[in-house]
Amino acid sequence: MDVAVRPVRVALVGNPNSGKTALFNALTGAHQKVANYAGVTVERKEGRVQSATGRSISVLDLPGTYSLRARSPDEEVTRDAVLGRLPAEAEQDVIVAVADATNLRLVLRLILELKAVGRPMVLALNMYDIAQRQGLRIDLDRLRAELDVPIVTTVATRKRGIDDLVAEIETAAGPGWGGEGDTWTAPDAGAIRDAHRRAEQIMRATVRPPERPDTLTGRIDGVLLHPVAGLVILMALLFVMFQAVFAWATPGMDAIEAGFGLLGSGVAAVTPDTGPVWPLVESLIVDGLIAGVGGVLVFLPQIIILFAFIIVLEDFGYMARAAFLMDRIMGGAGLHGRAFIPLLSSFACAIPGVMAARVIDAKRDRLTTIMVAPLMTCSARIPVYTLIIGAFIPQQIVWGFANLQGLVMFGLYAAGIVSALLVSFVIRKVFWRGAVEPFMMELPAYKTPDVKSVLINLWLRARIFMERAARIILPLMILVWVLSTFPYPPEGATLPAIDYSFAGMMSHALEPIFAPIGFNWQMVIALIPGMAAREVAVAALGTVYAIADAESAGSLLGATLAAQWSLATGLSFLAWYVFAPQCVATLGVVKRELNSWKWMWVMVVYMFALAYLASLITYRIAVALGGG
């Protein structure tokens, strides 16, 4: 491709909480894709934008960093991308340093390091409206002269300054800049001290604090960070979130359920019932694919609601406050304060949670965090939890205001959190001892979440969930259908046909192992493909029960389970999924992150042991109380 017309390659670099991702969304909109860097599990976000002159610009959103002296895997990726060292990754033409205008002190040192690389650079002074509202006075001309880089003020959440930024990027790139940067070497301690002194000088020369500082942030923090009131508010927010997962999602779930029901009925109505092949085709489509995939996608509204809460609270600036509040509790359990962010990420999925542990510098603290991250209740557990809760927990109001089903869901999440804290405490006491490093974290300014950015992030999460259903669940449901259908029962058979199938034979062979915890053979069938992904268990149950009982194929799966399982069995199944490592992808990422088969197998053994013990205790107590 001609250098003069090829897309300009731009990398966004900045401190964490600088609004970098919001700026990326403002630049690229929905024209973005998420993948991983070659050879590592760090997330790679790239999008495209077109300048006013029609030139295409490729924008790369790099992980947040405070320095090019990388201390974590995420920071290593950012450093190597800036220096053009990543394998199979094109060198960047322009570096856009993204700075929080309300807090320039730390980012100035990073900007000086980026300048030493020698590539064209533009400084995006983001959240400029908040800086003005706080009364900060920034001498832009002096700052531009001190840094010798073009500066654009932006408000990413309002898309202000975006056109000016794109124009500056195009100017910095020139007609087709493709030169090499200066040879860069990591600064030593003396160079770091010099850069820090220089950053302080620039700060004093260009930024004046407000004469009458805005105390609104301080007043809000006085409440949200209070050791008692702050924790009460945090628990209340979590309580509301889980209540909403049930209360608000019902219309959407009913609509999806009705849609898949109509789809199954329509396929059954148009499929010929003559010959030996067509009934098999109908069974594959209706009982295997529609019952399986539909049984998972019906939970999409609940997952969207959960992610909406997390994204909005993150954009508002509350999540950093929640980490600060939890630091004392987590420190008592032997976890580093920075572990809160990876553990919080694990509520969405354990994989990004495990990967996010890279922000923790100390190897032992990082290992402890990774080992307990899968205990947090990820979104893949939601289909299992909501199915069983809906089947066995009545839909009623307790205490005059609380949904009982939401309370049970809250309890399951709390069980995951408490178990993670207990396991981390044991790891610190048994495997290694020592003081936990102090937790230092920058609290971002409060911001009004951008509706468009929230919707883009929600769409990305929903798309990932649906693609997962197509890529993982669909082929597994075909496998489950095949194993549950063949071979056919012998002549004169008296049991349901599925009992004579491969799945029936395997599950009956394994059933004695799970009988003490109340699992039947259908549940054992669901656990096997459920190792690929937790939500596959729901799809597998839908397929198995549809095949095993044709009369129940058109009814709700929850009603079928309520009729065939005891309450003790249902509760035991919930307990199993609080702890069991039913996700091969997570185990693979753990192996890659720790570069160790040993620790991966330690995780498998201890989580399965906890799952079996928790299910056994739950089942025996429930039976003793009359739930059997």
Side-chain angles (χ1 to χ4, degrees):
M1 181 182 291
D2 191 320
V3 172
V5 297
R6 66 164 172 79
V8 178
R9 294 185 292 265
V10 177
L12 302 184
V13 185
N15 295 161
N17 301 313
S18 61
K20 181 168 54 62
T21 298
L23 186 63
F24 175 76
N25 289 336
L27 282 166
T28 63
H31 306 291
Q32 54 182 259
K33 59 182 179 180
V34 180
N36 285 342
Y37 286 95
V40 294
T41 51
V42 178
E43 189 174 77
R44 183 186 190 281
K45 293 179 69 176
E46 185 176 13
R48 285 186 179 263
V49 62
Q50 199 167 44
S51 70
T53 63
R55 190 167 184 188
S56 179
I57 299 174
S58 175
V59 184
L60 187 64
D61 183 16
L62 292 172
T65 184
Y66 290 102
S67 171
L68 293 184
R69 291 181 75 244
R71 300 182 62 188
S72 70
D74 273 8
E75 292 178 337
E76 288 175 2
V77 165
T78 297
R79 177 200 63 198
D80 292 344
V82 168
L83 300 179
R85 296 176 181 172
L86 286 180
E89 184 78 38
E91 291 185 356
Q92 304 304 309
D93 298 330
V94 180
I95 302 297
V96 174
V98 184
D100 177 356
T102 67
N103 193 355
L104 289 176
R105 191 174 305 277
L106 284 178
V107 77
L108 285 174
R109 193 179 75 185
L110 175 62
I111 292 170
L112 294 173
E113 290 184 31
L114 292 171
K115 272 184 58 65
V117 174
R119 300 194 186 281
M121 187 167 72
V122 178
L123 173 58
L125 212 54
N126 199 28
M127 305 187 217
Y128 196 67
D129 59 333
I130 300 177
Q132 290 180 311
R133 194 161 60 243
Q134 291 179 351
L136 282 172
R137 293 166 293 170
I138 303 174
D139 188 337
L140 294 177
D141 293 332
R142 179 72 180 273
L143 183 61
R144 191 177 289 110
E146 293 282 353
L147 295 175
D148 191 26
V149 296
I151 298 176
V152 179
T153 60
T154 61
V155 182
T157 57
R158 299 287 183 270
K159 297 201 73 172
R160 296 177 189 166
I162 300 302
D163 293 340
D164 294 338
L165 178 60
V166 171
E168 284 290 356
I169 290 172
E170 190 173 23
T171 300
W177 188 87
E180 297 291 334
D182 295 342
T183 302
W184 186 89
T185 56
D188 56 21
I192 292 174
R193 285 194 294 270
D194 291 342
H196 186 73
R197 282 194 293 268
R198 176 65 178 145
E200 289 291 333
Q201 291 171 358
I202 296 173
M203 185 76 182
R204 288 193 297 269
T206 60
V207 181
R208 293 287 183 273
E211 296 175 356
R212 294 183 297 275
D214 179 14
T215 59
L216 178 60
T217 296
R219 290 199 300 269
I220 296 175
D221 280 344
V223 177
L224 295 183
L225 298 181
H226 189 275
V228 177
L231 284 174
V232 171
I233 292 171
L234 175 59
M235 292 300 107
L237 282 172
L238 293 175
F239 176 82
V240 170
M241 181 167 66
F242 297 126
Q243 291 287 307
V245 164
F246 275 94
W248 300 354
T250 301
M253 293 178 69
D254 289 345
I256 294 174
E257 204 164 59
F260 275 97
L262 289 173
L263 180 60
S265 300
V267 170
V270 299
T271 304
D273 57 1
T274 58
V277 175
W278 285 113
L280 272 179
V281 172
E282 179 184 331
S283 176
L284 170 61
I285 297 174
V286 177
D287 301 333
L289 302 183
I290 295 177
V293 177
V296 173
L297 289 183
V298 72
F299 300 104
L300 181 61
Q302 293 179 316
I303 290 173
I304 289 177
I305 289 171
L306 179 64
F307 274 117
F309 271 92
I310 293 175
I311 291 169
V312 168
L313 291 175
E314 177 71 39
D315 287 357
F316 180 66
Y318 179 75
M319 287 307 187
R321 273 81 183 174
F324 179 84
L325 284 169
M326 293 297 294
D327 178 48
R328 181 176 299 178
I329 297 173
M330 296 173 66
L335 282 169
H336 191 280
R338 284 185 179 273
F340 179 78
I341 300 301
L343 296 185
L344 186 68
S345 300
S346 297
F347 279 125
C349 176
I351 291 174
V354 169
M355 288 159 42
R358 298 189 192 103
V359 301
I360 304 172
D361 298 330
K363 183 178 179 180
R364 288 182 173 181
D365 291 330
R366 185 162 61 247
L367 175 58
T368 303
T369 304
I370 289 173
M371 293 299 288
V372 302
L375 290 171
M376 310 304 285
T377 299
C378 65
S379 59
R381 288 180 172 101
I382 293 179
V384 179
Y385 286 176
T386 51
L387 172 67
I388 306 303
I389 290 172
F392 294 97
I393 306 301
Q395 175 79 289
Q396 65 184 54
I397 302 299
V398 296
W399 306 331
F401 66 93
N403 183 303
L404 181 59
Q405 293 181 335
L407 281 177
V408 174
M409 176 72 90
F410 179 79
L412 292 170
Y413 271 76
I417 295 170
V418 171
S419 62
L421 296 177
L422 290 175
V423 170
S424 65
F425 180 80
V426 171
I427 290 175
R428 295 287 300 196
K429 293 298 182 182
V430 173
F431 289 101
W432 45 74
R433 298 182 182 182
V436 179
E437 290 185 7
F439 176 42
M440 293 186 293
M441 185 177 189
E442 201 177 348
L443 295 181
Y446 290 107
K447 305 181 291 291
T448 303
D450 176 49
V451 175
K452 183 178 180 181
S453 180
V454 171
L455 292 177
I456 288 174
N457 285 325
L458 277 179
W459 164 242
L460 287 174
R461 295 300 177 185
R463 191 177 71 186
I464 289 170
F465 181 75
M466 289 185 290
E467 287 175 352
R468 184 183 178 97
R471 189 179 68 255
I472 298 176
I473 298 174
L474 196 63
L476 281 174
M477 287 309 94
I478 295 175
L479 177 62
V480 170
W481 177 85
V482 170
L483 293 176
S484 302
T485 303
F486 301 103
Y488 291 130
E491 287 188 29
T494 57
L495 297 175
I498 195 172
D499 281 64
Y500 302 95
S501 68
F502 293 120
M505 288 185 278
M506 285 190 297
S507 59
H508 282 302
L510 294 172
E511 189 176 13
I513 299 174
F514 294 91
I517 61 175
F519 285 20
N520 58 31
W521 64 269
Q522 292 98 331
M523 298 164 74
V524 176
I525 292 178
L527 292 181
I528 297 171
M531 280 300 300
R534 292 180 174 95
E535 66 269 37
V536 174
V538 173
L541 286 171
T543 298
V544 169
Y545 276 103
I547 294 172
D549 185 359
E551 293 182 0
S552 68
S555 65
L556 299 180
L557 177 58
T560 302
L561 299 186
Q564 301 196 25
W565 294 8
S566 68
L567 174 61
T569 294
L571 295 178
S572 177
F573 198 65
L574 284 177
W576 176 271
Y577 269 91
V578 171
F579 300 101
Q582 296 274 159
C583 183
V584 172
T586 297
L587 298 177
V589 170
V590 168
K591 190 273 171 186
R592 288 181 61 181
E593 290 293 301
L594 298 177
N595 194 26
S596 169
W597 286 104
K598 181 186 76 173
W599 286 110
M600 188 205 76
W601 284 112
V602 168
M603 174 181 287
V604 170
V605 171
Y606 100 76
M607 290 187 72
F608 270 130
L610 277 181
Y612 197 93
L613 181 62
S615 293
L616 181 64
I617 294 172
T618 301
Y619 182 69
R620 295 302 177 189
I621 292 175
V623 169
L625 294 177

